Amino acid sequence: MQENLFELNVLRHSGTHVAELAAAEYDVVAPSNFGEISEMVAATGRNQQTPMMSLNRNDFTRRDAFWLFLVQNGKPIAGTAARYTDLAGESFDSFLRRTSREQYQRETDPIVSVAPPVMERLTGRLIYLGELELHPAHRGKARKLFRFAHVMMGMAALKWPEFEMMYAFVPKQHVKLADGYGFTWKVPRAITWADPVPLGRLNDHWLVATSRVDFEHAWAGPNSMNF
């Protein structure tokens, strides 16, 4: 797909979701000042950031990460984050083991195994999507969350159009929502962790993902990304 057509499709569908959220009196905000993010994250009901996306542990720049918030009456009620990584020839297995050891402050490798499909498919230029949180007082409307997630995926695709795979980790009970979020393939038991399992991680986490090719196809038609 030509790049300008890809961008137009992403803009069109993202704009539709933003407009639908606005009609329901929600704003979508992407703060440029990283100093605002911790307070906004807390307002969504999230107790802490994961080490992978913690502002205290990582030296993020606008080039490699951003946060998006759903705001109602001036207050953040949902948030999520995106991070870009170019593995530059390193395997995902190696990258995950190396960074997890530092993030969780382990003296030994905290990972027992990574599922073979994950190691095979996650290569090159990756977009990680995480930290999705919806304030408990606003839960129960999946359509709203799906629209918000699609805006995030659209923004990430426009910011890093060279990506090869966009992925996230979700608990087993949330896998049924993966289609609504826009992911096209799923892997159970993506990572098996050594005891004790790090805070925020689960051995039954699934990896959900979409490739650049899948993303282009899903967002190309007039009825794309319907839910």
Short mmCIF file of all heavy atoms in Angstrom, two decimals, residues 2-67:
data_model
loop_
_atom_site.label_atom_id
_atom_site.label_comp_id
_atom_site.label_asym_id
_atom_site.label_seq_id
_atom_site.Cartn_x
_atom_site.Cartn_y
_atom_site.Cartn_z
N GLN A 2 0.55 2.20 -0.87
CA GLN A 2 1.30 3.43 -0.91
C GLN A 2 1.20 4.14 0.43
O GLN A 2 0.15 4.14 1.08
CB GLN A 2 0.78 4.33 -2.02
CG GLN A 2 0.96 3.75 -3.41
CD GLN A 2 0.38 4.66 -4.47
OE1 GLN A 2 -0.29 5.64 -4.17
NE2 GLN A 2 0.66 4.35 -5.72
N GLU A 3 2.31 4.77 0.85
CA GLU A 3 2.34 5.38 2.17
C GLU A 3 1.27 6.46 2.35
O GLU A 3 0.66 6.56 3.40
CB GLU A 3 3.73 5.98 2.43
CG GLU A 3 4.79 4.93 2.72
CD GLU A 3 4.43 4.03 3.88
OE1 GLU A 3 4.05 4.53 4.95
OE2 GLU A 3 4.51 2.80 3.70
N ASN A 4 1.04 7.27 1.31
CA ASN A 4 0.04 8.32 1.48
C ASN A 4 -1.36 7.75 1.64
O ASN A 4 -2.19 8.26 2.38
CB ASN A 4 0.09 9.31 0.31
CG ASN A 4 -0.13 8.65 -1.04
OD1 ASN A 4 -0.10 7.43 -1.17
ND2 ASN A 4 -0.35 9.46 -2.06
N LEU A 5 -1.65 6.62 0.96
CA LEU A 5 -2.95 5.98 1.11
C LEU A 5 -3.07 5.36 2.49
O LEU A 5 -4.13 5.42 3.13
CB LEU A 5 -3.14 4.91 0.03
CG LEU A 5 -4.49 4.17 0.03
CD1 LEU A 5 -5.65 5.15 -0.07
CD2 LEU A 5 -4.53 3.15 -1.11
N PHE A 6 -2.00 4.75 2.96
CA PHE A 6 -1.99 4.18 4.31
C PHE A 6 -2.29 5.26 5.34
O PHE A 6 -3.13 5.10 6.22
CB PHE A 6 -0.61 3.56 4.58
CG PHE A 6 -0.38 3.15 6.02
CD1 PHE A 6 -1.01 2.03 6.54
CD2 PHE A 6 0.47 3.88 6.83
CE1 PHE A 6 -0.79 1.64 7.86
CE2 PHE A 6 0.69 3.51 8.15
CZ PHE A 6 0.05 2.38 8.66
N GLU A 7 -1.61 6.40 5.23
CA GLU A 7 -1.82 7.49 6.17
C GLU A 7 -3.26 8.02 6.10
O GLU A 7 -3.88 8.31 7.14
CB GLU A 7 -0.83 8.61 5.89
CG GLU A 7 0.62 8.23 6.21
CD GLU A 7 1.60 9.31 5.80
OE1 GLU A 7 1.16 10.32 5.22
OE2 GLU A 7 2.80 9.13 6.05
N LEU A 8 -3.81 8.13 4.90
CA LEU A 8 -5.17 8.62 4.75
C LEU A 8 -6.18 7.67 5.41
O LEU A 8 -7.13 8.11 6.06
CB LEU A 8 -5.51 8.79 3.27
CG LEU A 8 -4.92 10.02 2.58
CD1 LEU A 8 -5.15 9.95 1.09
CD2 LEU A 8 -5.52 11.30 3.16
N ASN A 9 -5.97 6.37 5.22
CA ASN A 9 -6.88 5.40 5.83
C ASN A 9 -6.82 5.47 7.35
O ASN A 9 -7.84 5.43 8.04
CB ASN A 9 -6.52 3.98 5.38
CG ASN A 9 -7.01 3.68 3.97
OD1 ASN A 9 -8.00 4.25 3.52
ND2 ASN A 9 -6.31 2.81 3.27
N VAL A 10 -5.60 5.57 7.89
CA VAL A 10 -5.44 5.65 9.34
C VAL A 10 -6.07 6.93 9.88
O VAL A 10 -6.78 6.92 10.89
CB VAL A 10 -3.95 5.55 9.74
CG1 VAL A 10 -3.79 5.78 11.25
CG2 VAL A 10 -3.37 4.20 9.35
N LEU A 11 -5.82 8.03 9.20
CA LEU A 11 -6.39 9.30 9.64
C LEU A 11 -7.92 9.27 9.59
O LEU A 11 -8.59 9.76 10.50
CB LEU A 11 -5.87 10.44 8.76
CG LEU A 11 -4.42 10.88 9.00
CD1 LEU A 11 -3.97 11.82 7.89
CD2 LEU A 11 -4.28 11.56 10.36
N ARG A 12 -8.47 8.70 8.53
CA ARG A 12 -9.92 8.65 8.37
C ARG A 12 -10.57 7.86 9.50
O ARG A 12 -11.52 8.33 10.13
CB ARG A 12 -10.29 8.04 7.03
CG ARG A 12 -11.81 7.99 6.79
CD ARG A 12 -12.16 7.47 5.41
NE ARG A 12 -11.87 6.06 5.26
CZ ARG A 12 -10.89 5.57 4.49
NH1 ARG A 12 -10.09 6.39 3.83
NH2 ARG A 12 -10.70 4.28 4.39
N HIS A 13 -10.04 6.67 9.77
CA HIS A 13 -10.66 5.82 10.77
C HIS A 13 -10.39 6.32 12.19
O HIS A 13 -11.27 6.27 13.05
CB HIS A 13 -10.20 4.38 10.60
CG HIS A 13 -10.73 3.75 9.34
ND1 HIS A 13 -12.08 3.49 9.16
CD2 HIS A 13 -10.13 3.37 8.20
CE1 HIS A 13 -12.26 2.96 7.96
NE2 HIS A 13 -11.09 2.89 7.36
N SER A 14 -9.19 6.81 12.42
CA SER A 14 -8.90 7.38 13.74
C SER A 14 -9.79 8.59 13.99
O SER A 14 -10.32 8.77 15.10
CB SER A 14 -7.42 7.80 13.83
OG SER A 14 -6.57 6.69 13.72
N GLY A 15 -9.96 9.41 12.96
CA GLY A 15 -10.81 10.59 13.10
C GLY A 15 -12.25 10.23 13.40
O GLY A 15 -12.92 10.92 14.18
N THR A 16 -12.73 9.14 12.80
CA THR A 16 -14.10 8.69 13.07
C THR A 16 -14.26 8.32 14.54
O THR A 16 -15.25 8.68 15.19
CB THR A 16 -14.45 7.47 12.19
OG1 THR A 16 -14.41 7.87 10.82
CG2 THR A 16 -15.84 6.95 12.52
N HIS A 17 -13.27 7.61 15.08
CA HIS A 17 -13.33 7.20 16.48
C HIS A 17 -13.24 8.41 17.41
O HIS A 17 -13.95 8.49 18.42
CB HIS A 17 -12.21 6.21 16.79
CG HIS A 17 -12.34 4.92 16.05
ND1 HIS A 17 -13.52 4.23 15.96
CD2 HIS A 17 -11.42 4.20 15.36
CE1 HIS A 17 -13.34 3.12 15.25
NE2 HIS A 17 -12.07 3.10 14.87
N VAL A 18 -12.38 9.36 17.08
CA VAL A 18 -12.26 10.58 17.90
C VAL A 18 -13.58 11.34 17.89
O VAL A 18 -14.04 11.83 18.92
CB VAL A 18 -11.11 11.47 17.39
CG1 VAL A 18 -11.15 12.83 18.07
CG2 VAL A 18 -9.76 10.81 17.64
N ALA A 19 -14.21 11.42 16.71
CA ALA A 19 -15.48 12.13 16.59
C ALA A 19 -16.59 11.45 17.39
O ALA A 19 -17.41 12.11 18.04
CB ALA A 19 -15.89 12.24 15.12
N GLU A 20 -16.63 10.12 17.36
CA GLU A 20 -17.64 9.38 18.12
C GLU A 20 -17.43 9.56 19.62
O GLU A 20 -18.39 9.71 20.38
CB GLU A 20 -17.58 7.89 17.75
CG GLU A 20 -18.04 7.57 16.35
CD GLU A 20 -19.55 7.73 16.19
OE1 GLU A 20 -20.27 7.76 17.21
OE2 GLU A 20 -20.01 7.84 15.03
N LEU A 21 -16.18 9.57 20.05
CA LEU A 21 -15.90 9.81 21.47
C LEU A 21 -16.28 11.23 21.86
O LEU A 21 -16.84 11.47 22.93
CB LEU A 21 -14.41 9.55 21.75
CG LEU A 21 -13.98 8.08 21.71
CD1 LEU A 21 -12.45 7.97 21.73
CD2 LEU A 21 -14.57 7.30 22.89
N ALA A 22 -15.99 12.19 20.98
CA ALA A 22 -16.35 13.58 21.26
C ALA A 22 -17.86 13.74 21.37
O ALA A 22 -18.35 14.51 22.20
CB ALA A 22 -15.78 14.49 20.18
N ALA A 23 -18.60 13.02 20.53
CA ALA A 23 -20.06 13.09 20.57
C ALA A 23 -20.61 12.58 21.90
O ALA A 23 -21.68 12.99 22.34
CB ALA A 23 -20.65 12.29 19.42
N ALA A 24 -19.84 11.69 22.54
CA ALA A 24 -20.22 11.17 23.86
C ALA A 24 -19.58 11.98 24.98
O ALA A 24 -19.59 11.56 26.13
CB ALA A 24 -19.83 9.70 23.98
N GLU A 25 -19.00 13.14 24.62
CA GLU A 25 -18.40 14.09 25.57
C GLU A 25 -17.11 13.58 26.20
O GLU A 25 -16.84 13.81 27.38
CB GLU A 25 -19.42 14.48 26.65
CG GLU A 25 -20.67 15.14 26.07
CD GLU A 25 -21.63 15.64 27.14
OE1 GLU A 25 -21.52 15.20 28.30
OE2 GLU A 25 -22.49 16.47 26.80
N TYR A 26 -16.30 12.90 25.37
CA TYR A 26 -14.97 12.49 25.79
C TYR A 26 -13.94 13.19 24.91
O TYR A 26 -14.15 13.32 23.69
CB TYR A 26 -14.78 10.98 25.66
CG TYR A 26 -15.65 10.16 26.58
CD1 TYR A 26 -16.81 9.55 26.09
CD2 TYR A 26 -15.31 9.97 27.91
CE1 TYR A 26 -17.62 8.78 26.92
CE2 TYR A 26 -16.11 9.20 28.75
CZ TYR A 26 -17.26 8.62 28.25
OH TYR A 26 -18.06 7.86 29.07
N ASP A 27 -12.85 13.61 25.50
CA ASP A 27 -11.73 14.16 24.76
C ASP A 27 -10.59 13.15 24.77
O ASP A 27 -10.43 12.37 25.72
CB ASP A 27 -11.23 15.47 25.39
CG ASP A 27 -12.25 16.59 25.29
OD1 ASP A 27 -12.89 16.70 24.22
OD2 ASP A 27 -12.40 17.34 26.26
N VAL A 28 -9.77 13.17 23.73
CA VAL A 28 -8.57 12.34 23.66
C VAL A 28 -7.37 13.27 23.75
O VAL A 28 -7.24 14.21 22.96
CB VAL A 28 -8.52 11.51 22.36
CG1 VAL A 28 -7.25 10.69 22.32
CG2 VAL A 28 -9.74 10.61 22.25
N VAL A 29 -6.49 13.02 24.73
CA VAL A 29 -5.37 13.92 25.02
C VAL A 29 -4.06 13.15 24.99
O VAL A 29 -3.94 12.09 25.62
CB VAL A 29 -5.55 14.59 26.39
CG1 VAL A 29 -4.34 15.45 26.73
CG2 VAL A 29 -6.82 15.41 26.42
N ALA A 30 -3.08 13.68 24.26
CA ALA A 30 -1.74 13.10 24.22
C ALA A 30 -0.76 14.14 24.76
O ALA A 30 -0.30 15.01 24.01
CB ALA A 30 -1.36 12.71 22.79
N PRO A 31 -0.46 14.12 26.07
CA PRO A 31 0.41 15.15 26.66
C PRO A 31 1.82 15.11 26.09
O PRO A 31 2.41 14.03 25.94
CB PRO A 31 0.40 14.81 28.15
CG PRO A 31 0.03 13.38 28.22
CD PRO A 31 -0.88 13.13 27.07
N SER A 32 2.35 16.27 25.75
CA SER A 32 3.72 16.35 25.25
C SER A 32 4.73 16.51 26.38
O SER A 32 5.92 16.28 26.20
CB SER A 32 3.85 17.53 24.28
OG SER A 32 3.50 18.75 24.92
N ASN A 33 4.25 16.91 27.55
CA ASN A 33 5.10 17.08 28.72
C ASN A 33 5.08 15.80 29.55
O ASN A 33 4.06 15.47 30.17
CB ASN A 33 4.61 18.27 29.54
CG ASN A 33 5.46 18.52 30.77
OD1 ASN A 33 6.42 17.80 31.05
ND2 ASN A 33 5.10 19.54 31.54
N PHE A 34 6.19 15.06 29.58
CA PHE A 34 6.24 13.82 30.33
C PHE A 34 6.01 14.05 31.83
O PHE A 34 5.64 13.13 32.54
CB PHE A 34 7.58 13.13 30.12
CG PHE A 34 7.67 12.37 28.80
CD1 PHE A 34 6.65 12.46 27.86
CD2 PHE A 34 8.76 11.60 28.51
CE1 PHE A 34 6.72 11.77 26.66
CE2 PHE A 34 8.85 10.90 27.32
CZ PHE A 34 7.84 10.99 26.39
N GLY A 35 6.23 15.26 32.30
CA GLY A 35 6.04 15.57 33.70
C GLY A 35 4.59 15.48 34.15
O GLY A 35 4.31 15.35 35.35
N GLU A 36 3.66 15.54 33.21
CA GLU A 36 2.23 15.46 33.53
C GLU A 36 1.73 14.02 33.63
O GLU A 36 0.66 13.78 34.20
CB GLU A 36 1.41 16.16 32.45
CG GLU A 36 1.73 17.62 32.21
CD GLU A 36 0.91 18.15 31.04
OE1 GLU A 36 -0.33 18.10 31.14
OE2 GLU A 36 1.50 18.59 30.04
N ILE A 37 2.48 13.09 33.09
CA ILE A 37 1.93 11.76 32.85
C ILE A 37 1.64 10.98 34.13
O ILE A 37 0.59 10.36 34.27
CB ILE A 37 2.87 10.97 31.93
CG1 ILE A 37 2.83 11.59 30.52
CG2 ILE A 37 2.48 9.50 31.88
CD1 ILE A 37 3.87 11.08 29.57
N SER A 38 2.55 11.00 35.09
CA SER A 38 2.36 10.21 36.31
C SER A 38 1.06 10.58 37.02
O SER A 38 0.30 9.71 37.47
CB SER A 38 3.55 10.41 37.26
OG SER A 38 4.72 9.87 36.71
N GLU A 39 0.78 11.88 37.11
CA GLU A 39 -0.45 12.33 37.76
C GLU A 39 -1.68 11.91 36.97
O GLU A 39 -2.71 11.50 37.55
CB GLU A 39 -0.43 13.85 37.93
CG GLU A 39 -1.62 14.40 38.68
CD GLU A 39 -1.53 15.90 38.92
OE1 GLU A 39 -0.44 16.47 38.71
OE2 GLU A 39 -2.55 16.50 39.31
N MET A 40 -1.59 11.97 35.65
CA MET A 40 -2.72 11.57 34.81
C MET A 40 -2.96 10.06 34.89
O MET A 40 -4.10 9.60 34.92
CB MET A 40 -2.49 12.02 33.36
CG MET A 40 -2.44 13.53 33.20
SD MET A 40 -2.18 14.08 31.49
CE MET A 40 -3.82 13.79 30.79
N VAL A 41 -1.87 9.29 34.92
CA VAL A 41 -1.99 7.84 35.08
C VAL A 41 -2.71 7.51 36.38
O VAL A 41 -3.63 6.67 36.42
CB VAL A 41 -0.61 7.17 35.04
CG1 VAL A 41 -0.70 5.73 35.52
CG2 VAL A 41 -0.02 7.22 33.63
N ALA A 42 -2.31 8.16 37.47
CA ALA A 42 -2.93 7.91 38.77
C ALA A 42 -4.42 8.24 38.76
O ALA A 42 -5.23 7.55 39.39
CB ALA A 42 -2.22 8.72 39.85
N ALA A 43 -4.80 9.26 38.00
CA ALA A 43 -6.21 9.66 37.94
C ALA A 43 -7.08 8.60 37.29
O ALA A 43 -8.29 8.53 37.55
CB ALA A 43 -6.34 10.98 37.18
N THR A 44 -6.49 7.74 36.45
CA THR A 44 -7.27 6.69 35.80
C THR A 44 -7.53 5.52 36.74
O THR A 44 -8.26 4.59 36.37
CB THR A 44 -6.54 6.15 34.55
OG1 THR A 44 -5.35 5.46 34.94
CG2 THR A 44 -6.20 7.29 33.60
N GLY A 45 -6.91 5.53 37.91
CA GLY A 45 -7.09 4.45 38.87
C GLY A 45 -5.95 3.46 38.88
O GLY A 45 -5.97 2.49 39.65
N ARG A 46 -4.93 3.70 38.06
CA ARG A 46 -3.78 2.79 38.03
C ARG A 46 -2.84 3.11 39.19
O ARG A 46 -2.41 4.24 39.35
CB ARG A 46 -3.05 2.92 36.70
CG ARG A 46 -2.01 1.85 36.47
CD ARG A 46 -1.40 1.93 35.08
NE ARG A 46 -0.55 0.80 34.80
CZ ARG A 46 -0.96 -0.36 34.31
NH1 ARG A 46 -2.23 -0.53 34.03
NH2 ARG A 46 -0.13 -1.35 34.11
N ASN A 47 -2.51 2.09 39.99
CA ASN A 47 -1.70 2.31 41.18
C ASN A 47 -0.23 2.59 40.87
O ASN A 47 0.42 3.36 41.57
CB ASN A 47 -1.79 1.09 42.11
CG ASN A 47 -3.18 0.90 42.67
OD1 ASN A 47 -3.88 1.87 42.93
ND2 ASN A 47 -3.61 -0.35 42.84
N GLN A 48 0.29 1.96 39.81
CA GLN A 48 1.68 2.17 39.46
C GLN A 48 1.93 1.79 38.01
O GLN A 48 1.16 1.02 37.43
CB GLN A 48 2.61 1.35 40.37
CG GLN A 48 2.38 -0.15 40.28
CD GLN A 48 3.25 -0.93 41.24
OE1 GLN A 48 4.08 -0.36 41.96
NE2 GLN A 48 3.08 -2.23 41.28
N GLN A 49 3.00 2.33 37.46
CA GLN A 49 3.37 1.99 36.10
C GLN A 49 4.22 0.73 36.11
O GLN A 49 4.94 0.46 37.06
CB GLN A 49 4.17 3.14 35.47
CG GLN A 49 3.35 4.41 35.26
CD GLN A 49 4.20 5.52 34.64
OE1 GLN A 49 5.12 6.01 35.28
NE2 GLN A 49 3.88 5.90 33.43
N THR A 50 4.10 -0.05 35.04
CA THR A 50 4.94 -1.23 34.93
C THR A 50 6.39 -0.79 34.66
O THR A 50 6.62 0.29 34.10
CB THR A 50 4.48 -2.13 33.78
OG1 THR A 50 4.56 -1.39 32.54
CG2 THR A 50 3.05 -2.60 33.99
N PRO A 51 7.37 -1.60 35.06
CA PRO A 51 8.77 -1.24 34.82
C PRO A 51 9.07 -0.93 33.35
O PRO A 51 9.88 -0.06 33.05
CB PRO A 51 9.54 -2.47 35.32
CG PRO A 51 8.67 -3.03 36.39
CD PRO A 51 7.26 -2.83 35.88
N MET A 52 8.40 -1.64 32.44
CA MET A 52 8.66 -1.42 31.01
C MET A 52 8.32 0.00 30.58
O MET A 52 8.95 0.56 29.68
CB MET A 52 7.86 -2.43 30.18
CG MET A 52 8.13 -2.33 28.69
SD MET A 52 7.14 -3.49 27.70
CE MET A 52 7.90 -5.04 28.15
N MET A 53 7.30 0.61 31.24
CA MET A 53 6.86 1.93 30.85
C MET A 53 7.02 2.96 31.96
O MET A 53 6.51 4.08 31.84
CB MET A 53 5.39 1.89 30.40
CG MET A 53 5.13 1.07 29.15
SD MET A 53 6.09 1.58 27.70
CE MET A 53 5.55 3.26 27.50
N SER A 54 7.71 2.62 33.01
CA SER A 54 7.88 3.54 34.13
C SER A 54 8.75 4.73 33.75
O SER A 54 9.87 4.56 33.24
CB SER A 54 8.51 2.81 35.32
OG SER A 54 8.84 3.71 36.34
N LEU A 55 8.25 5.91 34.01
CA LEU A 55 9.03 7.13 33.74
C LEU A 55 10.21 7.26 34.68
O LEU A 55 11.18 7.96 34.37
CB LEU A 55 8.12 8.35 33.85
CG LEU A 55 7.09 8.48 32.73
CD1 LEU A 55 5.99 9.45 33.13
CD2 LEU A 55 7.75 8.93 31.44
N ASN A 56 10.14 6.61 35.82
CA ASN A 56 11.24 6.67 36.79
C ASN A 56 12.39 5.74 36.42
O ASN A 56 13.51 5.93 36.88
CB ASN A 56 10.73 6.31 38.19
CG ASN A 56 9.75 7.32 38.74
OD1 ASN A 56 9.85 8.51 38.45
ND2 ASN A 56 8.79 6.85 39.52
N ARG A 57 12.12 4.75 35.59
CA ARG A 57 13.12 3.74 35.25
C ARG A 57 13.68 3.91 33.84
O ARG A 57 14.68 3.29 33.50
CB ARG A 57 12.52 2.34 35.38
CG ARG A 57 12.18 1.91 36.80
CD ARG A 57 11.40 0.61 36.76
NE ARG A 57 11.08 0.13 38.09
CZ ARG A 57 11.67 -0.90 38.68
NH1 ARG A 57 12.63 -1.55 38.05
NH2 ARG A 57 11.30 -1.30 39.88
N ASN A 58 13.00 4.68 33.01
CA ASN A 58 13.39 4.79 31.60
C ASN A 58 13.62 6.24 31.20
O ASN A 58 12.93 7.14 31.69
CB ASN A 58 12.29 4.20 30.72
CG ASN A 58 12.06 2.73 30.96
OD1 ASN A 58 12.77 1.88 30.43
ND2 ASN A 58 11.06 2.41 31.78
N ASP A 59 14.58 6.44 30.33
CA ASP A 59 14.86 7.78 29.81
C ASP A 59 14.14 7.95 28.47
O ASP A 59 14.76 7.97 27.40
CB ASP A 59 16.37 7.97 29.64
CG ASP A 59 17.10 7.91 30.96
OD1 ASP A 59 16.55 8.39 31.97
OD2 ASP A 59 18.24 7.38 30.99
N PHE A 60 12.81 8.07 28.54
CA PHE A 60 12.03 8.19 27.32
C PHE A 60 12.21 9.57 26.68
O PHE A 60 12.44 10.57 27.35
CB PHE A 60 10.54 8.01 27.61
CG PHE A 60 10.16 6.61 28.00
CD1 PHE A 60 9.49 6.35 29.18
CD2 PHE A 60 10.45 5.54 27.16
CE1 PHE A 60 9.12 5.07 29.53
CE2 PHE A 60 10.09 4.25 27.50
CZ PHE A 60 9.43 4.02 28.69
N THR A 61 12.06 9.59 25.37
CA THR A 61 11.93 10.85 24.63
C THR A 61 10.65 10.76 23.81
O THR A 61 10.05 9.68 23.68
CB THR A 61 13.13 11.08 23.68
OG1 THR A 61 13.06 10.11 22.60
CG2 THR A 61 14.45 10.93 24.41
N ARG A 62 10.24 11.86 23.23
CA ARG A 62 9.03 11.86 22.40
C ARG A 62 9.22 10.99 21.16
O ARG A 62 8.25 10.60 20.53
CB ARG A 62 8.70 13.29 21.98
CG ARG A 62 8.35 14.21 23.13
CD ARG A 62 8.06 15.61 22.63
NE ARG A 62 7.97 16.58 23.71
CZ ARG A 62 7.84 17.88 23.52
NH1 ARG A 62 7.77 18.36 22.29
NH2 ARG A 62 7.78 18.70 24.55
N ARG A 63 10.46 10.70 20.83
CA ARG A 63 10.74 9.90 19.65
C ARG A 63 10.42 8.42 19.87
O ARG A 63 10.10 7.71 18.92
CB ARG A 63 12.21 10.06 19.26
CG ARG A 63 12.61 9.38 17.96
CD ARG A 63 14.02 9.75 17.56
NE ARG A 63 14.13 11.19 17.32
CZ ARG A 63 15.27 11.81 17.03
NH1 ARG A 63 16.40 11.13 16.96
NH2 ARG A 63 15.29 13.11 16.81
N ASP A 64 10.50 7.94 21.11
CA ASP A 64 10.34 6.50 21.32
C ASP A 64 9.17 6.10 22.22
O ASP A 64 8.96 4.91 22.45
CB ASP A 64 11.64 5.88 21.86
CG ASP A 64 12.13 6.55 23.14
OD1 ASP A 64 11.33 7.17 23.85
OD2 ASP A 64 13.33 6.44 23.42
N ALA A 65 8.38 7.06 22.72
CA ALA A 65 7.24 6.69 23.57
C ALA A 65 6.23 7.84 23.63
O ALA A 65 6.60 9.00 23.49
CB ALA A 65 7.71 6.32 24.97
N PHE A 66 4.97 7.48 23.85
CA PHE A 66 3.96 8.50 24.14
C PHE A 66 2.81 7.87 24.90
O PHE A 66 2.63 6.64 24.93
CB PHE A 66 3.47 9.20 22.86
CG PHE A 66 2.58 8.37 21.97
CD1 PHE A 66 1.20 8.42 22.08
CD2 PHE A 66 3.13 7.55 20.99
CE1 PHE A 66 0.37 7.68 21.25
CE2 PHE A 66 2.32 6.79 20.15
CZ PHE A 66 0.94 6.86 20.28
N TRP A 67 2.03 8.72 25.57
CA TRP A 67 0.87 8.29 26.34
C TRP A 67 -0.38 8.96 25.77
O TRP A 67 -0.31 10.07 25.23
CB TRP A 67 1.01 8.70 27.80
CG TRP A 67 1.81 7.74 28.64
CD1 TRP A 67 1.32 6.86 29.56
CD2 TRP A 67 3.23 7.57 28.64
NE1 TRP A 67 2.36 6.15 30.14
CE2 TRP A 67 3.54 6.57 29.58
CE3 TRP A 67 4.28 8.17 27.93
CZ2 TRP A 67 4.84 6.16 29.83
CZ3 TRP A 67 5.57 7.76 28.16
CH2 TRP A 67 5.84 6.75 29.11
#
